[in-house]
Amino acid sequence: MKAHIELPQAFGATTDRDVLQAYSADPLHVAMPDAVVRPKNVEEVSRILAYCNEKRIPVTACGNQTSLTAAAITDQGILMSSERLDASWRIEEDTQMPGRWLAFVGVAANLAAFQDDLAAQGFFYPPDPTSRAEVMVGATVATNASGEDSFKYGSTRRWVRGLQYVRADGEVRNVMRDAKQVANGSKNSCGLPIRDSEVDLLIGSEGTLGILTQVIVEVLPKVPDYVSMLVFLNSEQSVLSAVQQIVAEAGPELRCCEYMDNAALDILREHADDFSCPDETNAVLYLKAEFEGDSSLVVESWYTRFESLFSKMGTPHLADAIQVFEDPPGQRRLREWRHLVPATINERAARFRDFGGGKVSSDWYVPVDQIAEMMAEVRRDQGSSKWIVFGHIGNGHPHFNFIAEDLRQYQHDRMLLFKHCEAAVRRGGGVSAEHGIGKKKAKLLETQYSASEVQEMLAVKKSFDPNRILAPGNIFAAHLWHR
Ligand SMILES: Cc1cc2nc3c(=O)[nH]c(=O)nc-3n(C[C@H](O)[C@H](O)[C@H](O)COP(=O)(O)OP(=O)(O)OC[C@H]3O[C@@H](n4cnc5c(N)ncnc54)[C@H](O)[C@@H]3O)c2cc1C
């Protein structure tokens, strides 16, 4: 039975069933909160948290609920939506580091709107989850999101300079990192970086340490020009050897190195307007290369590189099939095609939710020199299952997607996923590069970290949120508290 929660009227909380229903799902999971609050400013967030802390009422933050790990839904206590918080932004020159620029961004700002507006003013903010048009900037910080351009620009953490957040007891904190510190932009969205700054602790903390209300991010004073390319290959094996070479040889111009297998290509063949590829294609690489001045030079140099690669592979004609996208509408279309793949998988998987099925997807990563062996190890478990694989191959971070049609299959796929995560950790990688572990993958915390590291994370959590009201179940599975 659901708990009955008493909240002061001034909080504007709702327990209306239709409203609760509207906040009860992410793309893959459902959980019904007891109440929803939508504070309008930091003072309201502070008052609500102070009250809930005193009464021991759980509070889970959400942005636009695109999380894939049930991190932004809850069936315990209140769901606190960020949607009415500040969504504005302003840019200022960094007073500590003249020549560098900072954006002060309300957490409710839509990432794509923020980035597009910046670009119109000649500034560039690189983090770019595929879901950028659907997500709030604050939530991308709370998950340490990454995207296709993370090959060059790293994860969100790399760009965060400071933030404002509210602790569980209602205290409002404004924290900045040292401007000279270069933040670690490597992809990892599992757990808390225990020995790092207060700013770093909050990044990727999935709502467990505080509610973010503003983020301060570094932006670059120039929007780089780039060309996008689709390079078609006839096997995954060819992709893996091409990637090793590309990553070893590529200079700083390479911005993105993404992969889609034949099953992902099938989604494009079926659903993407204007998409075409050679008949023998079984795999594709999606690359972006930056340039200054004349685009033809960069296009020519990549074409020459692939000509030689393809001739070594015995498929020289595939060089002629490379598709180059130089104009913004073409590049946008390509991005939309790329987004279509996970969006279609999520839609397909949701159909099996009522039968206990759904999507099980990997977010593990390994050092790129391990990716060929890791993929071979994982593929050995495939049997006759239909998997869809796409993602950030240049970072050693492809997403394997299993669509389970019933509960038995779902449990089997989860078992495989956990096995593959263990293998990724053994190979020097981790269990989640960008989505976070939320509730659905919280058990993987112990796969990636030693018992003493987990204990240190629990100690951090206790010091921020002694009554454990924030985002119960996210990152820290219930059993960890009973040891
Ligand atoms: C089709 C699709 C593609 C995707 N592609 C990518 C991708 O390429 N890269 C990637 O990294 N992710 C991707 N995601 C996952 C998701 O979009 C990201 O995790 C995103 O950062 C979530 O943003 P959101 O606004 O939907 O936040 P939500 O899903 O609502 O919340 C995400 C997390 O942030 C916390 N949170 C939200 N707001 C606050 C706040 N104000 N204070 C504290 N904590 C808060 C929540 O508690 C939760 O833990 C994808 C999802 C979909 C559906």
Side-chain angles (χ1 to χ4, degrees), residues 27 61-68 71-72 82 107 129-131 135-136 139-140 142-143 145-147 206-207 210-212 339 342-343 346 434-435 474:
C62 77
N64 210 25
Q65 297 188 301
T66 64
S67 159
L68 300 167
S82 306
V107 283
T130 323
S131 48
V135 303
M136 294 187 197
T140 62
T143 55
S146 298
E206 303 193 55
I211 305 290
L212 300 169
H339 181 62
N346 292 344
E434 63 183 18
H435 294 159
N474 282 5

Side-chain angles (χ1 to χ4, degrees), residues 208-443:
T208 59
L209 300 185
I211 305 290
L212 300 169
T213 45
Q214 185 189 53
V215 298
I216 302 160
V217 296
E218 181 156 2
V219 297
L220 299 175
K222 184 171 187 300
V223 185
D225 288 319
Y226 66 94
V227 293
S228 305
M229 290 167 277
L230 284 183
V231 182
F232 300 103
L233 295 104
N234 60 2
S235 71
E236 187 162 275
Q237 206 44 51
S238 313
V239 167
L240 291 168
S241 41
V243 164
Q244 294 306 331
Q245 195 164 330
I246 291 168
V247 171
E249 287 175 4
E253 89 269 13
L254 186 61
R255 170 161 161 178
C256 136
C257 178
E258 299 269 310
Y259 169 55
M260 288 183 220
D261 78 346
N262 201 33
L265 273 171
D266 275 342
I267 292 178
L268 299 191
R269 288 181 185 109
E270 200 177 326
H271 299 288
D273 291 340
D274 301 333
F275 177 77
S276 67
C277 63
D279 288 344
E280 69 198 272
T281 304
N282 283 312
V284 65
L285 278 173
Y286 162 32
L287 307 176
K288 286 183 195 165
E290 292 184 354
F291 66 92
E292 285 195 39
D294 185 356
S295 66
S296 64
L297 295 177
V298 76
V299 172
E300 217 171 284
S301 87
W302 279 89
Y303 184 77
T304 310
R305 187 170 292 162
F306 276 108
E307 226 177 11
S308 122
L309 202 77
F310 280 134
S311 94
K312 276 190 225 145
M313 289 175 173
T315 52
H317 55 288
L318 285 177
D320 296 329
I322 294 174
Q323 294 177 10
V324 178
F325 300 77
E326 294 187 51
D327 60 320
Q331 292 173 334
R332 264 199 303 278
R333 201 166 64 238
L334 191 45
R335 222 179 179 291
E336 282 159 17
W337 291 347
R338 165 71 178 75
H339 181 62
L340 201 57
V341 174
T344 306
I345 296 171
N346 292 344
E347 267 171 43
R348 281 185 191 169
R351 287 182 219 149
F352 298 106
R353 209 153 56 190
D354 291 346
F355 309 104
K359 175 170 108 163
V360 176
S361 67
S362 82
D363 193 27
W364 53 254
Y365 59 97
V366 292
V368 72
D369 62 3
Q370 294 278 316
I371 191 63
E373 286 181 32
M374 179 71 189
M375 297 269 285
E377 183 175 344
V378 172
R379 285 285 193 200
R380 276 198 289 279
D381 286 328
Q382 181 163 3
S384 59
S385 306
K386 291 186 202 117
W387 291 356
I388 305 167
V389 184
F390 67 90
H392 324 284
I393 196 91
N395 291 114
H397 175 212
H399 295 293
F400 277 71
N401 293 271
F402 318 136
I403 298 183
E405 298 189 0
D406 56 31
L407 184 61
R408 192 195 54 78
Q409 172 107 47
Y410 186 80
Q411 286 166 340
H412 173 76
D413 291 344
R414 292 257 305 168
M415 183 274 293
L416 281 186
L417 171 73
F418 279 55
K419 177 182 167 204
H420 300 155
C421 285
E422 281 169 20
V425 172
R426 265 200 314 276
R427 291 178 182 277
V431 301
S432 169
E434 63 183 18
H435 294 159
I437 54 176
K439 298 177 186 58
K440 279 289 168 180
K441 294 184 176 176
K443 284 190 185 146

